[in-house]
Amino acid sequence: MNNSVANTGRLVWAALRMLLVLTVVTGIVYPLVVTGIAQVLFNDKANGSIVKVEGEEVGSALIGQTWNLPRRNPDDATEAARPDPKWFQPRPSDSGYDPLSTGSSQLGASDPTLTRLVGDARKAVAAFNGVPESEVPEDAVTGSASAIDPHISPEYAEIQIKRVAEARGLSGQRVAKLVEDHTEGRTAGFLGEPHVNVLKLNLALEDLAAR
């Protein structure tokens, strides 16, 4: 009986020591090492790819945001958003680009509600940019699965060039060159599609307009 109790005690003590060691290694040492490596080698990405202008944080290159005019009535939360013609606009977001509330509309491709919403959005985008509905690309009227995609297609950026240039009194060629310079290719040459980061493009646009 005494040997049995002693053996059980040794097993319990061994288990407790193992628990303590694993807790220290996986709960303290490993996170500190990984965090340290990330801060040294991938500081920008590890901290959310924050974009700063003159030391002030203006957004993240990984999270989209709205570029709307101020509400006519600040107290009316139901007032429809009005996109600002001076900025390149992002793709639609079912969460208003809230990083704490990501996700798509969950509407199926054959859902009549989605069909109607896309049709209405296509008309609105075409009218806002002064182009035929046939020139409106898909990403201009459909949200991403995450609802916070910071990128748009080069095609969507291109149909916005004339409107942005006119709103800012800039040459269409200069704005077009800006879009060209901010168009990124496929990752590793074959993953994904060419894309334009809206935040970076708009910051470059602001810099161009200020000259």
Side-chain angles (χ1 to χ4, degrees), residues 88 153-155 157-158 160-161 174-184 195-196 201:
F88 282 91
S153 66
E155 292 77 17
E158 287 169 6
Q160 301 186 62
I161 291 174
R174 297 178 71 187
V175 177
K177 182 64 167 56
L178 210 60
V179 171
E180 180 182 347
D181 292 343
H182 285 79
T183 298
E184 304 174 41
H195 52 275
V196 181
L201 176 59

Side-chain angles (χ1 to χ4, degrees), residues 82-169:
R82 296 177 298 143
D84 192 331
K86 297 192 304 296
W87 300 107
F88 282 91
Q89 294 296 317
R91 64 189 304 177
S93 170
D94 290 302
S95 70
Y97 284 101
D98 181 358
L100 300 179
S101 178
T102 61
S104 66
S105 66
Q106 303 301 312
L107 296 175
S110 61
D111 192 307
T113 300
L114 179 62
T115 302
R116 175 179 56 79
L117 291 175
V118 168
D120 291 345
R122 191 179 302 279
K123 291 178 182 178
V125 171
F128 184 59
N129 293 285
V131 299
E133 290 184 34
S134 59
E135 293 185 13
V136 177
E138 293 303 316
D139 64 310
V141 295
T142 57
S144 65
S146 68
I148 58 173
D149 187 354
H151 302 109
I152 57 175
S153 66
E155 292 77 17
Y156 188 21
E158 287 169 6
I159 69 168
Q160 301 186 62
I161 291 174
K162 181 181 178 181
R163 183 253 302 161
V164 169
E166 290 179 349
R168 288 182 173 270

